Amino acid sequence: MITLPEKYIPLNPDVENFLAQTHKLYIGGEWLPAQSGKTFPTIDPSTGRELTQVASAESADVDVAVTAARRAFDEGPWRNRMTAAERSKLIWRLADLIEAHGEILAQLDSLDNGKPLNTTRTDDVPLSVDHFRYYAGWPTKIEGATIPVNTPGMFNYTVREPVGVCGLIVPWNYPLLMAAWKIAPALAAGNCIILKPAEQTPLSALYLAQLFEEAGFPPGVFNVLTGFGHTTGAALTEHLRVDKIGFTGSVETAKHIIKASVSNLKRVTLELGGKSPNIIFADADIENAIVGATWAIFGNNGQSCTAGSRLYIERPIYERVLQGMADEARKIKVGPGMYTEQPDIGPVISREQLDKVLGYVDEGYAVGGQTVTGGKRMGGEYTEGYFIEPTIFTQVDDGARIAREEIFGPVVCAMPFDDPDEIVKRANATEYGLAAGVWTRDLARAHRMAAALQAGTVWINTWGDTDAASPFGGYKQSGHGREMGKEALDLYTEVKSVWINTDG
Ligand code: ADP
Ligand code: MG
């Protein structure tokens, strides 16, 4: 049994049992060890201590999982004999089970990722449930069309068919939710799935597999392979019998995935990073903007692909907003996500990420940047974990690396602007295009900005909202395709056009 720090919330008994288990791979409805026998530890980033060991899948395991998923897709009942209404019911049942076991999943994600239990309880888990419920309604609504073609006697119609076996590769920042974003539409469209959770946060995916089992999905429809990117992930993306990869993660990894996908020209959809501009005009509701811009960056500890990490403030209100944000940031409680006295945000995910973020901070200082708050790793009782103070940089140029590159941590660059017409150019001068924000009371300006910003999501007088029903994704190097809403179903279906000669 693992011993957790004294100040931790007592673990749910099912979580304790789960952590004590030997974690295997979930393939074709069975739990199998990795063929190599290898395992790897998953770490609590609040303490740097091991939580448990999970199986480390390699290409031989990927092959077995692909065979199981293929069989389920090509021969099993899921796509061939079940009706859309039956699939719909199963997805809904899964959502109910996630909700019923929500506390377990919330604790697992908090332990594994470090984020506050309050957050996984109120955001990650309920949003995942919403997501499955939204897509549970879709199987009976995925329709084709009849096409009035210009040939006498020809009847032409379309059907939307599932793509096939989908490898879904997800990151560690919202472990359960990122998996749900992909699994739910893939299931709704009738695909079979091999999920590869991030090596930093494999636990909720393994627990989810138990719920798939309990819900009664046919074997092989949902499989989980825990393992590393360069082994499990690479083998999945190269595999000739995988039809599609759905990926969320870094641009660098996405480029590897595209290269590997060349093997069989499998479909690839990508939800990548950002360096999202957040623009505050002098006519904004300043107090709202201060709180909004603070949480745009520090929400989830800056470990969100949509983090509002480039902050542009109109000159007349620059000092006031900066001071307001510094005050807000100092009020943020940072601490272990499982502490009885709940923090607002947790640690960063890993030692590697800690070093990367602190490297950017050092570089920010080296190029003349100054911090109005933060800028350091936290010590004291937090020495063992990967805690960084919420950090606001000023005196940084748009061209500096910390203002251009995705840091994926609690660091924002605050920059003034003078010319409302110029700011669009500065905001768009990035290789990314995931999200953008605008704070203004001028309705016409809000619409002009929404049209001019090159981003998949634009938030006006708000930040960070997403909904299962609303499409989400990136322009430019922030991605390919859209998740959520009915748009996501396009990513998980192929369109077939059928011609019938009715004169024949
Ligand atoms: P980060 O650097 O923030 O961990 P990554 O893009 O590396 O982000 O990781 C996101 C997901 O991609 C993880 O599940 C990881 O294991 C996986 N991954 C990493 N490298 C590869 C790769 N070469 N091929 C396939 N998947 C990979
Ligand atoms: Mg972990």
Side-chain angles (χ1 to χ4, degrees):
M1 217 173 66
I2 57 160
T3 44
L4 294 171
E6 258 171 45
K7 290 185 187 167
Y8 271 37
I9 291 166
L11 292 186
N12 175 298
D14 289 334
V15 171
E16 236 169 298
N17 288 339
F18 182 81
L19 291 174
Q21 283 169 27
T22 316
H23 300 283
K24 297 181 180 166
L25 308 169
Y26 185 64
I27 299 177
E30 291 179 75
W31 293 94
L32 305 174
Q35 291 183 41
S36 68
K38 284 186 202 159
T39 64
F40 67 93
T42 182
I43 305 293
D44 175 355
S46 298
T47 60
R49 288 192 222 163
E50 178 178 323
L51 289 165
T52 185
Q53 295 264 338
V54 301
S56 185
E58 292 180 351
S59 62
D61 306 297
V62 171
D63 207 54
V64 176
V66 173
T67 301
R70 272 258 68 95
R71 187 173 312 131
F73 186 76
D74 296 331
E75 297 155 35
W78 177 245
R79 126 159 232 256
N80 303 298
R81 292 186 289 285
M82 286 172 66
T83 63
E86 287 169 326
R87 284 198 298 270
S88 173
K89 232 161 135 181
L90 268 183
I91 301 171
W92 193 276
R93 193 180 298 157
L94 178 72
D96 285 347
L97 285 168
I98 295 171
E99 191 167 57
H101 297 79
E103 178 62 16
I104 299 168
L105 288 159
Q107 291 197 8
L108 289 175
D109 266 2
S110 284
L111 287 166
D112 226 1
N113 169 284
K115 70 171 82 180
L117 184 59
N118 276 348
T119 307
T120 53
R121 275 177 179 162
T122 59
D123 291 351
D124 298 55
V125 173
L127 288 172
S128 302
V129 173
D130 272 2
H131 211 77
F132 280 104
R133 292 216 171 110
Y134 171 79
Y135 282 103
W138 267 109
T140 49
K141 294 161 196 77
I142 299 173
E143 297 172 340
T146 55
I147 319 286
V149 289
N150 194 15
T151 317
M154 279 294 172
F155 176 53
N156 178 240
Y157 66 91
T158 59
V159 271
R160 285 195 166 267
E161 297 187 340
V163 175
V165 171
C166 300
L168 306 181
I169 301 177
V170 297
W172 42 260
N173 57 344
Y174 300 87
L176 180 67
L177 186 60
M178 289 299 103
W181 278 19
K182 296 191 179 350
I183 297 167
L187 288 177
N191 296 278
C192 290
I193 293 166
I194 299 171
L195 173 69
K196 195 205 89 63
E199 53 271 36
Q200 296 87 350
T201 54
L203 298 178
S204 55
L206 292 168
Y207 195 82
L208 185 65
Q210 297 188 13
L211 300 181
F212 266 86
E213 184 85 31
E214 198 176 331
F217 280 81
V221 171
F222 181 70
N223 307 275
V224 179
L225 296 178
T226 49
F228 293 92
H230 63 276
T231 52
T232 323
L236 256 181
T237 51
E238 280 158 18
H239 206 289
L240 294 174
R241 287 176 296 138
V242 171
D243 300 301
K244 183 204 154 94
I245 294 289
F247 171 75
T248 296
S250 62
V251 171
E252 195 191 342
T253 301
K255 291 182 179 174
H256 287 295
I257 287 178
I258 295 220
K259 281 190 193 133
S261 72
V262 167
S263 62
N264 64 339
L265 294 180
K266 57 176 66 66
R267 281 86 186 98
V268 175
T269 51
L270 306 168
E271 198 267 276
L272 310 176
K275 190 75 181 178
S276 297
N278 195 8
I279 305 165
I280 308 181
F281 286 98
D283 64 14
D285 175 335
I286 311 277
E287 292 312 310
N288 269 351
I290 286 171
V291 175
T294 304
W295 286 101
I297 180 63
F298 300 125
N300 211 45
N301 214 358
Q303 301 180 122
S304 291
C305 40
T306 55
S309 51
R310 273 192 299 148
L311 182 61
Y312 294 109
I313 307 166
E314 203 168 359
R315 182 91 58 190
I317 56 163
Y318 181 70
E319 285 304 326
R320 181 171 158 206
V321 171
L322 207 57
Q323 284 321 311
M325 284 183 66
D327 292 343
E328 282 295 315
R330 284 186 209 106
K331 281 192 275 181
I332 294 175
K333 273 196 295 178
V334 185
M338 286 295 285
Y339 260 23
T340 323
E341 200 184 313
Q342 280 284 284
D344 299 307
I345 56 178
V348 297
I349 189 71
S350 61
R351 175 83 222 191
E352 190 190 359
Q353 199 60 22
L354 179 90
D355 292 342
K356 184 181 152 198
V357 176
L358 293 175
Y360 274 112
V361 170
D362 287 345
E363 188 178 321
Y365 286 127
V367 298
Q370 291 171 19
T371 45
V372 292
T373 187
K376 287 194 302 292
R377 181 176 182 179
M378 293 166 67
E381 62 171 324
Y382 296 154
T383 314
E384 305 295 311
Y386 314 128
F387 294 95
I388 302 176
E389 294 171 349
T391 301
I392 303 176
F393 264 104
T394 62
Q395 316 297 322
V396 176
D397 278 350
D398 290 38
R401 261 178 18 110
I402 59 164
R404 278 189 293 114
E405 295 180 11
E406 183 175 44
I407 297 176
F408 224 67
V411 181
V412 65
C413 297
M415 297 167 283
F417 71 91
D418 295 298
D419 181 351
D421 294 323
E422 278 297 305
I423 195 56
V424 170
K425 275 193 200 136
R426 282 172 74 187
N428 285 339
T430 168
E431 66 203 31
Y432 293 113
L434 194 60
V438 176
W439 302 80
T440 178
R441 283 188 170 117
D442 178 339
L443 187 62
R445 167 177 276 161
H447 280 291
R448 277 198 309 276
M449 293 298 290
L453 290 165
Q454 294 162 353
T457 298
V458 178
W459 286 300
I460 309 282
N461 297 329
T462 183
W463 189 278
D465 310 77
T466 59
D467 189 289
S470 178
F472 176 86
Y475 282 31
K476 299 191 264 184
Q477 291 192 41
S478 289
H480 282 184
R482 292 292 177 273
E483 305 202 277
M484 301 202 262
K486 64 179 184 311
E487 278 78 1
L489 295 163
D490 295 343
L491 312 183
Y492 291 98
T493 49
E494 295 277 9
V495 178
K496 179 179 281 174
S497 171
V498 181
W499 293 78
I500 297 182
N501 182 352
T502 59
D503 291 338

